[in-house]
Short mmCIF file of all heavy atoms in Angstrom, two decimals:
data_model
loop_
_atom_site.label_atom_id
_atom_site.label_comp_id
_atom_site.label_asym_id
_atom_site.label_seq_id
_atom_site.Cartn_x
_atom_site.Cartn_y
_atom_site.Cartn_z
N ALA M 13 167.77 -44.12 126.12
CA ALA M 13 168.99 -43.84 126.74
C ALA M 13 170.15 -43.70 125.75
O ALA M 13 171.18 -43.08 126.03
CB ALA M 13 169.35 -44.93 127.78
N VAL M 14 169.99 -44.30 124.58
CA VAL M 14 171.01 -44.19 123.52
C VAL M 14 170.93 -42.81 122.94
O VAL M 14 169.85 -42.31 122.59
CB VAL M 14 170.74 -45.32 122.44
CG1 VAL M 14 171.68 -45.10 121.26
CG2 VAL M 14 170.94 -46.68 123.07
N PRO M 15 172.09 -42.13 122.78
CA PRO M 15 172.07 -40.82 122.09
C PRO M 15 171.36 -40.87 120.83
O PRO M 15 171.47 -41.81 120.02
CB PRO M 15 173.58 -40.50 121.94
CG PRO M 15 174.25 -41.31 123.00
CD PRO M 15 173.44 -42.57 123.14
N PRO M 16 170.53 -39.85 120.48
CA PRO M 16 169.69 -39.83 119.25
C PRO M 16 170.46 -40.15 117.99
O PRO M 16 169.95 -40.86 117.15
CB PRO M 16 169.17 -38.35 119.21
CG PRO M 16 169.20 -37.96 120.63
CD PRO M 16 170.37 -38.58 121.33
N ASP M 17 171.69 -39.68 117.91
CA ASP M 17 172.43 -39.93 116.64
C ASP M 17 173.00 -41.37 116.51
O ASP M 17 173.56 -41.76 115.56
CB ASP M 17 173.55 -38.93 116.39
CG ASP M 17 174.44 -38.78 117.60
OD1 ASP M 17 174.05 -39.07 118.70
OD2 ASP M 17 175.63 -38.46 117.34
N HIS M 18 172.76 -42.20 117.56
CA HIS M 18 173.17 -43.62 117.60
C HIS M 18 172.02 -44.57 117.59
O HIS M 18 172.23 -45.81 117.48
CB HIS M 18 174.03 -43.89 118.81
CG HIS M 18 175.34 -43.18 118.84
ND1 HIS M 18 175.39 -41.83 119.25
CD2 HIS M 18 176.57 -43.53 118.52
CE1 HIS M 18 176.61 -41.45 119.18
NE2 HIS M 18 177.39 -42.45 118.71
N ARG M 19 170.79 -44.10 117.76
CA ARG M 19 169.67 -44.99 117.96
C ARG M 19 169.38 -45.88 116.77
O ARG M 19 169.17 -47.11 116.93
CB ARG M 19 168.38 -44.17 118.22
CG ARG M 19 168.37 -43.69 119.62
CD ARG M 19 167.04 -42.98 120.03
NE ARG M 19 167.31 -42.33 121.33
CZ ARG M 19 166.86 -41.16 121.68
NH1 ARG M 19 166.04 -40.48 120.79
NH2 ARG M 19 167.09 -40.60 122.78
N ASP M 20 169.42 -45.39 115.58
CA ASP M 20 169.14 -46.19 114.37
C ASP M 20 170.13 -47.35 114.26
O ASP M 20 169.82 -48.48 113.98
CB ASP M 20 169.08 -45.38 113.12
CG ASP M 20 167.80 -44.59 113.00
OD1 ASP M 20 166.81 -44.87 113.72
OD2 ASP M 20 167.79 -43.53 112.25
N GLN M 21 171.44 -46.96 114.49
CA GLN M 21 172.52 -48.00 114.43
C GLN M 21 172.28 -49.14 115.44
O GLN M 21 172.36 -50.29 115.19
CB GLN M 21 173.83 -47.37 114.60
CG GLN M 21 174.97 -48.30 114.59
CD GLN M 21 176.34 -47.59 114.83
OE1 GLN M 21 176.34 -46.53 115.44
NE2 GLN M 21 177.42 -48.21 114.42
N PHE M 22 171.93 -48.67 116.67
CA PHE M 22 171.69 -49.61 117.73
C PHE M 22 170.44 -50.53 117.47
O PHE M 22 170.48 -51.73 117.58
CB PHE M 22 171.44 -48.88 119.06
CG PHE M 22 171.11 -49.74 120.23
CD1 PHE M 22 172.12 -50.54 120.80
CD2 PHE M 22 169.86 -49.74 120.83
CE1 PHE M 22 171.79 -51.32 121.87
CE2 PHE M 22 169.61 -50.54 121.90
CZ PHE M 22 170.56 -51.35 122.41
N VAL M 23 169.28 -49.94 117.05
CA VAL M 23 168.14 -50.63 116.78
C VAL M 23 168.33 -51.63 115.61
O VAL M 23 167.71 -52.73 115.63
CB VAL M 23 166.95 -49.62 116.49
CG1 VAL M 23 165.75 -50.36 115.89
CG2 VAL M 23 166.62 -48.91 117.77
N ARG M 24 169.14 -51.30 114.65
CA ARG M 24 169.33 -52.20 113.52
C ARG M 24 170.04 -53.55 113.93
O ARG M 24 170.03 -54.49 113.19
CB ARG M 24 170.21 -51.50 112.44
CG ARG M 24 169.34 -50.60 111.53
CD ARG M 24 170.12 -50.26 110.28
NE ARG M 24 171.42 -49.58 110.55
CZ ARG M 24 171.55 -48.27 110.64
NH1 ARG M 24 170.52 -47.44 110.57
NH2 ARG M 24 172.77 -47.75 110.88
N LEU M 25 170.61 -53.54 115.11
CA LEU M 25 171.29 -54.75 115.58
C LEU M 25 170.35 -55.80 116.10
O LEU M 25 170.72 -56.92 116.35
CB LEU M 25 172.26 -54.39 116.75
CG LEU M 25 173.46 -53.46 116.37
CD1 LEU M 25 174.23 -53.17 117.62
CD2 LEU M 25 174.30 -54.07 115.27
N ALA M 26 169.03 -55.41 116.30
CA ALA M 26 168.08 -56.27 116.88
C ALA M 26 167.35 -57.13 115.90
O ALA M 26 167.25 -56.78 114.67
CB ALA M 26 167.09 -55.49 117.69
N HIS M 27 166.91 -58.33 116.33
CA HIS M 27 165.96 -59.10 115.56
C HIS M 27 164.91 -59.69 116.47
O HIS M 27 165.20 -59.92 117.66
CB HIS M 27 166.68 -60.19 114.74
CG HIS M 27 167.26 -61.27 115.56
ND1 HIS M 27 168.51 -61.21 116.22
CD2 HIS M 27 166.77 -62.54 115.94
CE1 HIS M 27 168.75 -62.30 116.87
NE2 HIS M 27 167.73 -63.12 116.70
N GLU M 28 163.70 -59.87 115.91
CA GLU M 28 162.56 -60.29 116.74
C GLU M 28 162.66 -61.78 117.06
O GLU M 28 162.98 -62.60 116.18
CB GLU M 28 161.26 -59.96 116.05
CG GLU M 28 160.09 -60.18 116.99
CD GLU M 28 158.78 -59.70 116.40
OE1 GLU M 28 158.70 -58.56 115.91
OE2 GLU M 28 157.79 -60.44 116.53
N VAL M 29 162.34 -62.13 118.28
CA VAL M 29 162.23 -63.50 118.68
C VAL M 29 160.97 -63.67 119.50
O VAL M 29 160.36 -62.71 119.96
CB VAL M 29 163.49 -63.97 119.50
CG1 VAL M 29 164.75 -63.94 118.77
CG2 VAL M 29 163.65 -63.14 120.79
N SER M 30 160.62 -64.96 119.75
CA SER M 30 159.49 -65.23 120.63
C SER M 30 159.75 -66.41 121.46
O SER M 30 160.54 -67.29 121.11
CB SER M 30 158.18 -65.41 119.77
OG SER M 30 158.35 -66.54 118.92
N PHE M 31 159.11 -66.45 122.66
CA PHE M 31 159.26 -67.54 123.63
C PHE M 31 157.88 -67.96 124.03
O PHE M 31 157.10 -67.13 124.54
CB PHE M 31 160.05 -67.11 124.81
CG PHE M 31 161.43 -66.55 124.51
CD1 PHE M 31 161.70 -65.18 124.50
CD2 PHE M 31 162.48 -67.43 124.21
CE1 PHE M 31 162.97 -64.68 124.23
CE2 PHE M 31 163.76 -66.91 123.94
CZ PHE M 31 164.02 -65.57 123.96
N PRO M 32 157.54 -69.18 123.92
CA PRO M 32 156.24 -69.70 124.43
C PRO M 32 156.22 -69.62 125.95
O PRO M 32 157.34 -69.69 126.59
CB PRO M 32 156.19 -71.11 123.92
CG PRO M 32 157.14 -71.26 122.86
CD PRO M 32 158.24 -70.29 123.15
N MET M 33 155.06 -69.56 126.54
CA MET M 33 154.94 -69.59 127.99
C MET M 33 155.64 -70.82 128.52
O MET M 33 155.53 -71.89 127.96
CB MET M 33 153.45 -69.60 128.40
CG MET M 33 153.19 -69.49 129.78
SD MET M 33 151.47 -69.25 130.17
CE MET M 33 151.06 -70.78 130.85
N GLY M 34 156.36 -70.62 129.58
CA GLY M 34 157.07 -71.72 130.22
C GLY M 34 158.45 -71.94 129.79
O GLY M 34 159.20 -72.75 130.37
N THR M 35 158.86 -71.24 128.78
CA THR M 35 160.29 -71.36 128.21
C THR M 35 161.25 -70.79 129.21
O THR M 35 161.07 -69.66 129.71
CB THR M 35 160.45 -70.63 126.88
OG1 THR M 35 159.46 -71.18 125.99
CG2 THR M 35 161.83 -70.75 126.31
N ARG M 36 162.36 -71.57 129.52
CA ARG M 36 163.42 -71.07 130.30
C ARG M 36 164.31 -70.30 129.30
O ARG M 36 164.82 -70.90 128.39
CB ARG M 36 164.22 -72.21 130.94
CG ARG M 36 163.60 -72.86 132.07
CD ARG M 36 163.26 -71.98 133.22
NE ARG M 36 164.45 -71.56 133.99
CZ ARG M 36 164.48 -70.71 135.00
NH1 ARG M 36 163.32 -70.25 135.43
NH2 ARG M 36 165.55 -70.42 135.60
N ILE M 37 164.38 -69.01 129.44
CA ILE M 37 165.12 -68.16 128.51
C ILE M 37 166.63 -68.22 128.80
O ILE M 37 167.41 -68.28 127.93
CB ILE M 37 164.61 -66.67 128.57
CG1 ILE M 37 163.12 -66.71 128.16
CG2 ILE M 37 165.37 -65.78 127.63
CD1 ILE M 37 162.37 -65.41 128.42
N PHE M 38 166.99 -68.19 130.07
CA PHE M 38 168.33 -68.43 130.52
C PHE M 38 168.33 -68.93 131.95
O PHE M 38 167.41 -68.74 132.69
CB PHE M 38 169.26 -67.22 130.27
CG PHE M 38 168.78 -65.93 130.94
CD1 PHE M 38 169.01 -65.64 132.25
CD2 PHE M 38 168.16 -64.97 130.16
CE1 PHE M 38 168.64 -64.43 132.82
CE2 PHE M 38 167.75 -63.76 130.73
CZ PHE M 38 167.99 -63.48 132.09
N GLU M 39 169.52 -69.58 132.31
CA GLU M 39 169.68 -70.11 133.65
C GLU M 39 170.75 -69.34 134.38
O GLU M 39 171.77 -68.97 133.69
CB GLU M 39 170.05 -71.59 133.52
CG GLU M 39 168.97 -72.51 133.00
CD GLU M 39 167.82 -72.68 133.91
OE1 GLU M 39 167.89 -72.38 135.11
OE2 GLU M 39 166.75 -73.21 133.44
N GLU M 40 170.62 -69.18 135.65
CA GLU M 40 171.62 -68.54 136.47
C GLU M 40 172.97 -69.30 136.28
O GLU M 40 173.03 -70.49 136.25
CB GLU M 40 171.15 -68.64 137.92
CG GLU M 40 172.08 -67.93 138.90
CD GLU M 40 171.51 -67.98 140.32
OE1 GLU M 40 170.28 -68.20 140.50
OE2 GLU M 40 172.28 -67.70 141.22
N GLY M 41 174.00 -68.55 136.06
CA GLY M 41 175.37 -69.08 135.86
C GLY M 41 175.70 -69.37 134.41
O GLY M 41 176.87 -69.55 134.08
N GLY M 42 174.69 -69.33 133.50
CA GLY M 42 174.97 -69.60 132.06
C GLY M 42 175.58 -68.41 131.44
O GLY M 42 175.71 -67.32 131.93
N LEU M 43 176.17 -68.67 130.19
CA LEU M 43 176.83 -67.63 129.42
C LEU M 43 175.85 -66.57 128.98
O LEU M 43 174.87 -66.88 128.37
CB LEU M 43 177.51 -68.24 128.19
CG LEU M 43 178.23 -67.25 127.27
CD1 LEU M 43 179.42 -66.61 128.02
CD2 LEU M 43 178.72 -67.98 126.04
N ALA M 44 176.11 -65.30 129.35
CA ALA M 44 175.23 -64.21 128.97
C ALA M 44 175.71 -63.61 127.69
O ALA M 44 176.54 -62.70 127.61
CB ALA M 44 175.26 -63.16 130.08
N ASP M 45 175.22 -64.20 126.58
CA ASP M 45 175.74 -63.81 125.23
C ASP M 45 174.74 -63.05 124.44
O ASP M 45 174.96 -62.78 123.20
CB ASP M 45 176.18 -65.04 124.46
CG ASP M 45 175.01 -66.06 124.31
OD1 ASP M 45 173.93 -65.85 124.84
OD2 ASP M 45 175.26 -67.06 123.57
N ARG M 46 173.62 -62.61 125.06
CA ARG M 46 172.62 -61.80 124.37
C ARG M 46 171.76 -61.12 125.41
O ARG M 46 171.86 -61.42 126.60
CB ARG M 46 171.74 -62.67 123.47
CG ARG M 46 170.91 -63.76 124.26
CD ARG M 46 170.43 -64.84 123.37
NE ARG M 46 171.57 -65.67 123.05
CZ ARG M 46 171.79 -66.34 121.93
NH1 ARG M 46 170.84 -66.43 121.07
NH2 ARG M 46 172.87 -67.07 121.73
N PHE M 47 170.89 -60.18 124.93
CA PHE M 47 169.93 -59.54 125.79
C PHE M 47 168.77 -59.16 124.95
O PHE M 47 168.78 -59.22 123.74
CB PHE M 47 170.55 -58.38 126.55
CG PHE M 47 171.00 -57.19 125.64
CD1 PHE M 47 170.10 -56.09 125.41
CD2 PHE M 47 172.21 -57.21 125.07
CE1 PHE M 47 170.51 -55.05 124.56
CE2 PHE M 47 172.63 -56.12 124.25
CZ PHE M 47 171.80 -55.06 124.03
N TRP M 48 167.68 -58.75 125.61
CA TRP M 48 166.44 -58.51 124.92
C TRP M 48 165.74 -57.31 125.46
O TRP M 48 165.90 -56.90 126.61
CB TRP M 48 165.45 -59.67 125.14
CG TRP M 48 165.92 -61.02 124.72
CD1 TRP M 48 165.75 -61.61 123.52
CD2 TRP M 48 166.79 -61.89 125.51
NE1 TRP M 48 166.38 -62.84 123.54
CE2 TRP M 48 167.06 -63.05 124.71
CE3 TRP M 48 167.36 -61.83 126.77
CZ2 TRP M 48 167.85 -64.09 125.11
CZ3 TRP M 48 168.17 -62.89 127.20
CH2 TRP M 48 168.37 -64.00 126.40
#
């Protein structure tokens, strides 16, 4: 969805993370300060 000339810039903002099974990634009402 990101325009082609912006994709590399957008993708460079990401870093890989992992969550074990059962991890609560976020709770309803909590601060939404990231996305995946």
Side-chain angles (χ1 to χ4, degrees):
V14 172
D17 53 333
H18 294 81
R19 283 186 191 140
D20 286 340
Q21 180 183 20
F22 178 70
V23 169
R24 280 195 302 271
L25 298 176
H27 68 277
E28 189 172 315
V29 296
S30 61
F31 302 103
M33 186 171 109
T35 300
R36 288 298 292 176
I37 299 169
F38 54 82
E39 295 290 345
E40 185 175 342
L43 179 64
D45 60 353
R46 65 199 72 211
F47 65 95
W48 302 264

